Amino acid sequence: MNVGIVGGGAWGQALATLTAKAGHEPRIGYRGQGPVGFPGTPNIGALSKEASVLFIAVPSDSVAEVIKVAELSASSRVVLASRGLDPRTGGWMSDLILRSTPCRRVGVLAGPAQAAEVARSRPTALVVASEFDDVCTLTQRALHSEHCRIYTTDDLHGVELAGAMVKILAVAVGLVHGVDFGAGAKGVVVTRGVAETARLGAAIGANPNTFSGLAGVGDLVSATTSPDHPSFVAG
């Protein structure tokens, strides 16, 4: 199975590591410096045509630019591994693909996996969300191994909103930590933040349970217990 990964940074190489552990052949599309330890190509358009599933693992503010050069088609299966919302509009990042390309088989990947821990073969899990069963199935095949379990859901917008929630709440918990308000205050921020996001999710048609799962609480625990997580550090 040919697995394409756009993004030669730490997260893109972590996904390549998981792909290799699952017994498949990862290939990384990059701009600038090439990846270390994995085959790569600067021709992202060719990569998208060859891949059974294409993971986009660039920072969220680079997704729109990457989509323009990826030459996605109606047969492409694309999974966004960039958490959060479109930083330019506040809209769904999946809509960037749906609005500007013929591709309709879109998924979103989220969860508590961290690049540095994947590199050290630490066990973890992720969730892929898509309305298309083949996107979920291919993602499971591409990444599932004894090191990483892949769960599936059809709650695409719920997982996208959860990714945005984690970034915001991790900053808030980092702020609480910085001013030394204590563990109790951190617990308040986490529980109330998750509850409020679940209500917002329900209002837009998402599954409230998504926010207590891997994409929500799971990723938030990972972010707020890692002293190097960018959002926690920012707080």
Side-chain angles (χ1 to χ4, degrees):
M1 179 177 175
N2 293 323
V3 178
I5 300 164
V6 181
W11 185 226
Q13 295 197 69
L15 292 177
T17 298
L18 292 177
T19 299
K21 289 182 181 298
H24 303 294
E25 298 178 0
R27 193 176 181 206
I28 296 177
Y30 63 90
R31 297 174 298 170
Q33 186 175 357
V36 176
F38 295 100
T41 176
N43 191 337
I44 296 174
L47 177 68
S48 69
K49 290 179 175 62
E50 298 168 358
S52 302
V53 59
L54 183 73
F55 294 98
I56 297 180
V58 298
S60 56
D61 58 0
S62 299
V63 170
E65 182 181 352
V66 164
I67 290 170
K68 291 179 182 178
V69 299
E71 301 178 17
L72 302 177
S73 68
S75 62
S76 298
R77 295 171 178 86
V78 179
V79 177
L80 287 159
S82 309
R83 295 174 177 84
L85 305 178
D86 182 353
R88 301 174 305 164
T89 67
W92 308 115
M93 283 206 293
S94 58
D95 283 352
L96 289 174
I97 297 176
L98 299 176
R99 285 198 312 265
S100 57
T101 79
C103 177
R104 291 296 175 267
R105 298 180 181 275
V106 178
V108 176
L109 187 71
Q114 294 195 25
E117 294 182 353
V118 169
R120 298 198 299 272
S121 298
R122 298 284 179 84
T124 192
L126 292 162
V127 57
V128 57
S130 179
E131 298 174 358
F132 295 91
D133 290 342
D134 58 341
V135 174
C136 292
T137 299
L138 285 170
T139 301
Q140 279 188 312
R141 284 182 57 198
L143 302 177
H144 184 93
S145 72
E146 63 180 3
H147 297 280
C148 181
R149 186 175 181 86
I150 304 296
Y151 294 86
T152 66
T153 177
D154 61 0
D155 190 14
L156 181 69
H157 289 166
V159 169
E160 288 185 279
L161 182 59
M165 173 198 76
V166 168
K167 287 185 175 182
I168 294 169
L169 291 185
V171 170
V173 172
L175 177 60
V176 170
H177 180 79
V179 297
D180 197 24
F181 275 3
K186 292 179 184 178
V188 171
V189 170
V190 169
T191 53
R192 296 314 309 156
V194 172
E196 291 172 14
T197 309
R199 286 200 293 270
L200 174 60
I204 64 170
N207 184 345
N209 293 331
T210 294
F211 305 97
S212 60
L214 287 172
V217 170
D219 196 10
L220 184 58
V221 169
S222 176
T224 56
T225 56
S226 172
D228 299 324
H229 191 278
S231 296
F232 181 78
V233 171

